[in-house]
Amino acid sequence: GESVGLHLPTLSVQEGDNSIINCAYSNSASDYFIWYKQESGKGPQFIIDIRSNMDKRQGQRVTVLLNKTVKHLSLQIAATQPGDSAVYLCAENYSPGSGTYKYIFGTGTRLKVLA
Amino acid sequence: EAQVTQNPRYLITVTGKKLTVTCSQNMNHEYMSWYRQDPGLGLRQIYYSMNVEVTDKGDVPEGYKVSRKEKRNFPLILESPSPNQTSLYFCASSFMGNTQYFGPGTRLTVL
């Protein structure tokens, strides 16, 4: 079947370089943000998250930056490897009230790592 | 192993033939959700549930039903599937307001 990776913006990076994937989120009330990695034929997998009271969070080889002023989120991957090739999805979470939670996903960016 | 499971993984059916896609999680999560993923449109939420017997519409609920009789299970029901419901479907679960964990996906084709 057609890959969900088609029609997406693509970022091509050389193996070993750093990658920066950007995401503009939509709701100023969002207070929790998540990056997922989706490989072909698989469900999204959690990479890293950040709450709105922070502007930076680091994991193993990955860093998420949050700029609430311009509603922008970025994912930095250090020393990109061939196994990092995938579609990357950003998600925002907010509570519209009544104890409910809403998750909104971006359409994704395809990362292609060149050997 | 903590996981979300979905069945079937692949399904080809015909217009109008009722089908159910099952979803189960073993992490005791309150929140469960169904999404469909289409090229160029990203993940769109169909229905979600905040706990047993509590379900609500997401952004694209038309043509779908859900139920939440037990905390671990959240089946998606298509009473009369149509070709525009051909898509890749994901179930997800989480604790409230936290990271969602996704199942492996169900690729549905309606002829």
Side-chain angles (χ1 to χ4, degrees), chain B residues 89-106:
Chain B
Y89 291 86
F90 290 103
C91 180
S93 73
S94 71
F95 291 116
M96 296 290 248
N98 279 290
T99 304
Q100 289 189 92
Y101 292 90
F102 285 82
T106 295

Side-chain angles (χ1 to χ4, degrees), chain B residues 65-83:
Chain B
K65 281 175 56 176
V66 292
S67 69
R68 187 94 182 270
K69 292 183 173 29
E70 306 163 280
K71 198 171 188 179
R72 64 183 292 128
N73 297 323
F74 191 45
L76 179 70
I77 303 152
L78 284 72
E79 295 268 4
S80 184
S82 62

Side-chain angles (χ1 to χ4, degrees), chain A residues 19 37 61 77-88 111-113:
Chain A
S19 304
K37 175 185 181 184
R61 275 202 314 119
I77 304 173
T80 313
Q81 301 167 1
D84 295 328
S85 293
V87 172
Y88 288 81
L111 177 65
K112 207 181 231 186
V113 181

